[in-house]
Amino acid sequence: MASQEQLSAIKVARVLMVGAGGIGCELLKTLALSGFQDIHIIDMDTIEVSNLNRQFLFRQSHVGQSKAKVARDAVLRFRPNISITSYHANVKDSRFNVDFFKEFDVVLNGLDNLDARRHVNRLCLAADVPLVESGTTGFLGQVTVHLKGKTECYECQPKPAPKTYPVCTITSTPSKFVHCIVWAKDLLFAKLFGDKNQENDLNLRSNDDANSSEHSEDVFECGKDKDIEQYGRRIYDHVFGHNIKVALSTEETWKNRNKPRPIYIKDVLPEKLTKENGNTKNGCATDDVSAMASLGLKNPQDVWGLAENSRVFLESLRLFFLKREEEIGNLTFDKDDQLAVEFVTAAANIRASSFDIPLHSLFEAKGIAGNIVHAVATTNAIIAGLIVIEAIKVLKKDSSNYRMTYCLEHPSKKLLLMPVEPYEPNKSCYVCSETPLSLEVNTHCSKLRDFVEKIVKAKLGMNFPLIMLGASILYEVGEDLEEDMVAIYAANLDKALSELPSPVTSGTVLTIEDLQQEFSCIINIKHREEFDEEKEPDGMLLSGWVEAPVDKDNNKPLGNGESTSNALPEEIMEGEKDVEIQETSEGTENVTGKKRKLSEVSKSTTPDHSGLSDESRNHNQLEKIDVDDEDDELIISDDWESLTKKKRL
């Protein structure tokens, strides 16, 4: 039973929740039932049908409505006397600034992406408001506490970069089904239904065929008067037949690999059968805009053969042009788009057949394509309870009892919940310790635009950057800028660093600020002439900022202090939202602060856990899993037993 001190702290507290998804629904319910009287919720998402199996504040009738608002209304029905304020908005909106965050006693995160988490972390640091982070992946979960100057901030340790694959592996030598999925989703789907000007290796030609009538025109161009059936067959033969044939002409590639086989539609489906695809006269429901429905395929967990995949491929392509033609040219893959998932599944399976890779069901392919780890409502409820426990400690200022708690899938030393004491701030953290960064860059070739996009926004996570060299402003973003200044800064973007009004050369010290986040850092510039295009594709190298280390043997990013697991297939591991196609680069070692201790509870059952939560420190032990779900991400070790015996450096 709560003490009078706890009850008093709870009743007067103003709490900000960010995220009203899987964890958020459970958290709001638990906060209300625990006696919290003043709760604010921010969430920009609307309710989807797929949310209803675990986000129990929502019903079928709520689909399409604001998550934050519906969650508020649902809880007020059984706790009508408390105050809940909902915001259907992006937490990165300018109104949610440092002054807004200062109004709260504690912030509770239930976010689903790294960018928003970093943003909230910086606002909490600037406002000096405690932050309780959380995440779940399947049966795994974790809760962490972050207080300015007392514990490490969310960015004190490296976070995982999106899973990357070498371009040549995706386009030429796939060996796993995930490679085929990435090819189908990010190359073929994008080429057919996205930006028509996008160039990629799908339309490569052999020298022998370059002048033939079949390949002299753009095979991906579909005129309005062309037969969609014939267009589909042409695309099929080009990407699964012609391109494979061209790839086989490079004999050196296949000396130590199994050769793929070109697949042509005439060898799989007679033309007569192809034309019967989706024939509405046979009672198929093309109005559902689903190739499966059109072809009478009902079970998404069935593994289709080559012929079935070929029919789905042609039918889904036909339906895109027949039912959704106005969208073509602007489409991007969405895991909730049934027709897109059907197309990608079929295309990936046909390619897998060519390379003798085991085929997968639509259900499996959707999980891989969307980086989906299916959520477990029980885990969300457990994590929500732990968040509230830590929030109460924060409100009582009971810092000696703060805990990072990991929820495990299988017991370790008879424990399913593993509590450890938080780390002290990392003295090398550029966010909370303001340690200067250094950037190696060719100042004569690299433009300011490259620096802004690749470093300031992508790596440092700034949304409204201000770049200064001494008292000179090189670039600024803001709603209140005058038009002439906007024009000057826009012109600067296309200038090489050394050609800016205040030249950036070797030895230059830049100050980068984000006024919304009230965050700034210093970058020391060092000129460097050449970069390895494969290992350093950005053409610049930032030091002091570290991504997740990479396992050189397996090419897999390793743990980061969030949540881990070895319980999931490799195909769905990684990607803070998306899988990227690029050359992978070497990871860098990170510097850490003081050792985290175990709680007394943990010590009583595990004699030596001094390295228990060194997920991001013990590089050879951990893997990171990313989820495409509101429930977000998390970490757990591959070998907890051996991990706990390791001492922190």
Side-chain angles (χ1 to χ4, degrees):
M1 187 173 179
S3 67
Q4 191 60 44
E5 182 184 2
Q6 287 178 333
L7 291 173
S8 298
I10 289 170
K11 286 183 178 180
V12 300
R14 284 172 57 86
V15 177
L16 175 62
M17 280 178 51
V18 187
I23 293 175
C25 280
E26 293 296 327
L27 178 56
L28 181 59
K29 175 199 71 177
T30 306
L31 287 170
L33 294 175
S34 299
F36 285 84
Q37 302 290 308
D38 190 356
I39 307 168
H40 293 241
I41 321 165
I42 302 173
D43 196 302
M44 66 182 294
D45 288 339
T46 55
I47 298 163
E48 299 177 6
V49 172
S50 60
N51 302 146
L52 302 181
N53 71 335
R54 65 192 180 281
Q55 298 174 23
F56 301 133
L57 298 180
F58 308 145
R59 298 292 182 266
Q60 181 75 39
S61 60
H62 297 139
V63 171
Q65 298 181 40
S66 162
K67 284 187 174 182
K69 183 181 184 304
V70 173
R72 169 191 178 275
D73 294 344
V75 171
L76 286 178
R77 280 197 289 272
F78 60 83
R79 277 292 183 269
N81 297 322
I82 68 175
S83 172
I84 303 178
T85 306
S86 63
Y87 306 87
H88 179 56
N90 190 331
V91 71
K92 293 165 68 176
D93 288 352
S94 58
R95 59 174 159 157
F96 304 124
N97 53 23
V98 173
D99 289 336
F100 176 83
F101 272 67
K102 284 181 178 179
E103 297 175 9
F104 300 96
D105 298 298
V106 64
V107 176
L108 313 177
N109 257 1
L111 286 163
D112 65 349
N113 67 88
L114 176 62
D115 189 41
R117 283 170 150 176
R118 292 196 299 194
H119 184 76
V120 172
N121 176 62
R122 294 173 187 183
L123 287 173
C124 286
L125 287 171
D128 197 11
V129 177
L131 170 65
V132 182
E133 265 287 357
S134 66
T136 66
T137 299
F139 293 102
L140 310 171
Q142 78 169 35
V143 174
T144 58
V145 183
H146 306 280
L147 279 85
K148 182 177 181 179
K150 295 181 180 179
T151 71
E152 63 181 12
C153 78
Y154 177 73
E155 297 176 77
C156 271
Q157 302 303 331
K159 300 296 179 281
K163 178 64 176 179
T164 59
Y165 299 100
V167 174
C168 58
T169 298
I170 299 302
T171 59
S172 305
T173 57
S175 58
K176 300 173 182 177
F177 188 69
V178 65
H179 299 155
C180 300
I181 285 286
V182 173
W183 175 88
K185 180 179 72 165
D186 292 348
L187 294 183
L188 183 58
F189 185 90
K191 185 68 177 178
L192 287 171
F193 309 118
D195 184 356
K196 292 299 180 184
N197 296 318
Q198 176 178 323
E199 290 294 331
N200 58 45
D201 288 345
L202 289 175
N203 51 359
L204 74 93
R205 306 169 184 172
S206 68
N207 292 331
D208 294 335
D209 289 330
N211 297 320
S212 69
S213 59
E214 182 182 356
H215 298 284
S216 59
E217 60 178 311
D218 184 356
V219 295
F220 292 95
E221 187 64 35
C222 180
K224 292 184 178 180
D225 299 329
K226 288 190 178 179
D227 185 335
I228 297 301
E229 304 290 351
Q230 290 302 318
Y231 175 70
R233 294 174 72 91
R234 188 171 83 237
I235 295 297
Y236 188 108
D237 286 346
H238 180 77
V239 297
F240 302 120
H242 171 70
N243 281 1
I244 300 298
K245 179 183 175 182
V246 172
L248 286 170
S249 65
T250 309
E251 296 182 3
E252 188 71 24
T253 303
W254 310 106
K255 280 187 176 181
N256 299 310
R257 294 184 176 93
N258 293 326
K259 291 184 178 181
R261 64 184 178 96
I263 301 175
Y264 295 93
I265 191 64
K266 63 181 176 61
D267 299 326
V268 181
L269 294 177
E271 188 167 356
K272 181 180 178 182
L273 286 178
T274 304
K275 289 183 177 180
E276 291 177 358
N277 267 7
N279 190 336
T280 55
K281 293 181 180 180
N282 62 16
C284 295
T286 53
D287 286 342
D288 292 342
V289 196
S290 163
M292 287 183 64
S294 179
L295 297 171
L297 300 172
K298 297 180 179 179
N299 190 351
Q301 298 196 35
D302 287 342
V303 178
W304 304 326
L306 179 58
E308 288 175 311
N309 278 293
S310 299
R311 289 190 179 95
V312 172
F313 177 88
L314 295 174
E315 179 63 6
S316 56
L317 187 147
R318 186 182 77 88
L319 288 174
F320 267 117
F321 280 92
L322 184 66
K323 300 287 187 178
R324 299 172 60 178
E325 187 173 9
E326 70 283 354
E327 299 177 58
I328 293 175
N330 298 303
L331 282 168
T332 55
F333 177 81
D334 183 345
K335 66 178 175 57
D336 296 317
D337 183 335
Q338 175 68 15
L339 194 59
V341 172
E342 290 170 345
F343 177 85
V344 166
T345 298
N349 273 326
I350 298 167
R351 185 165 175 82
S353 296
S354 180
F355 285 85
D356 198 27
I357 296 170
L359 308 188
H360 286 59
S361 69
L362 181 136
F363 179 81
E364 295 168 320
K366 180 179 179 180
I368 297 168
N371 298 323
I372 297 171
V373 179
H374 296 286
V376 177
T378 309
T379 312
N380 292 337
I382 292 170
I383 292 302
L386 292 170
I387 293 171
V388 174
I389 289 172
E390 294 305 318
I392 292 172
K393 294 177 188 175
V394 168
L395 295 172
K396 291 174 56 184
K397 304 188 184 304
D398 188 12
S399 58
S400 62
N401 286 315
Y402 294 160
R403 293 292 178 269
M404 292 178 59
T405 305
Y406 296 90
C407 178
L408 314 183
E409 181 174 1
H410 303 290
S412 176
K413 303 294 184 181
K414 300 182 180 180
L415 293 177
L416 280 173
L417 297 179
M418 192 68 70
V420 297
E421 289 187 18
Y423 275 93
E424 293 182 359
N426 181 355
K427 293 180 180 179
S428 297
C429 176
Y430 74 93
V431 177
C432 66
S433 298
E434 300 181 0
T435 300
L437 303 171
S438 62
L439 178 70
E440 295 180 35
V441 60
N442 188 321
T443 56
H444 304 309
C445 298
S446 293
K447 297 180 179 180
L448 180 62
R449 184 185 304 278
D450 299 325
F451 176 68
V452 170
E453 296 298 330
K454 297 177 181 179
I455 302 299
V456 177
K457 292 185 177 180
K459 287 183 167 58
L460 301 183
M462 294 191 182
N463 304 307
F464 298 96
L466 169 68
I467 303 174
M468 300 182 65
L469 197 172
S472 301
I473 299 177
L474 303 178
Y475 181 73
E476 184 177 6
V477 176
E479 298 176 354
D480 56 348
L481 292 178
E482 296 180 359
E483 289 186 7
D484 58 337
M485 297 307 299
V486 172
I488 291 173
Y489 296 144
N492 282 350
L493 286 174
D494 293 319
K495 295 179 181 178
L497 294 174
S498 61
E499 296 173 353
L500 290 167
S502 297
V504 175
T505 58
S506 196
T508 296
V509 178
L510 295 177
T511 300
I512 321 295
E513 297 183 10
D514 188 306
L515 300 181
Q516 184 187 14
Q517 298 174 351
E518 294 194 13
F519 163 67
S520 67
C521 67
I522 294 172
I523 300 182
N524 297 312
I525 302 297
K526 180 180 179 182
H527 176 78
R528 177 174 156 190
E529 283 292 331
E530 297 180 354
F531 291 84
D532 188 314
E533 291 184 2
E534 292 188 2
K535 293 182 178 180
E536 301 160 327
D538 288 341
M540 49 188 77
L541 182 63
L542 185 66
S543 302
W545 173 92
V546 283
E547 291 181 309
V550 174
D551 182 332
K552 297 179 183 179
D553 296 328
N554 297 318
N555 192 31
K556 292 184 292 189
L558 302 177
N560 74 331
E562 287 184 306
S563 61
T564 61
S565 174
N566 59 346
L568 298 165
E570 183 177 350
E571 286 87 346
I572 56 177
M573 289 189 179
E574 266 324 305
E576 202 18 73
K577 273 279 189 197
D578 289 321
V579 176
E580 294 181 0
I581 307 174
Q582 64 183 50
E583 295 294 340
T584 54
S585 59
E586 297 288 320
T588 55
E589 292 292 323
N590 58 309
V591 183
T592 56
K594 288 190 176 182
K595 181 168 63 180
R596 180 187 292 124
K597 301 175 183 178
L598 284 177
S599 67
E600 293 301 315
V601 175
S602 178
K603 285 181 178 178
S604 67
T605 55
T606 52
D608 183 13
H609 285 88
S610 58
L612 178 64
S613 290
D614 288 333
E615 293 86 1
S616 61
R617 297 81 168 167
N618 296 285
H619 298 166
N620 61 333
Q621 292 294 324
L622 299 170
E623 286 184 275
K624 169 73 178 57
I625 295 177
D626 230 354
V627 252
D628 191 1
D629 194 289
E630 298 80 5
D631 309 336
D632 206 13
E633 51 186 342
L634 119 143
I635 65 181
I636 265 7
S637 100
D638 288 331
D639 184 356
W640 199 273
E641 192 83 22
S642 62
L643 175 60
T644 58
K645 294 178 182 178
K646 290 184 175 289
K647 297 289 185 181
R648 186 153 177 231
L649 297 178

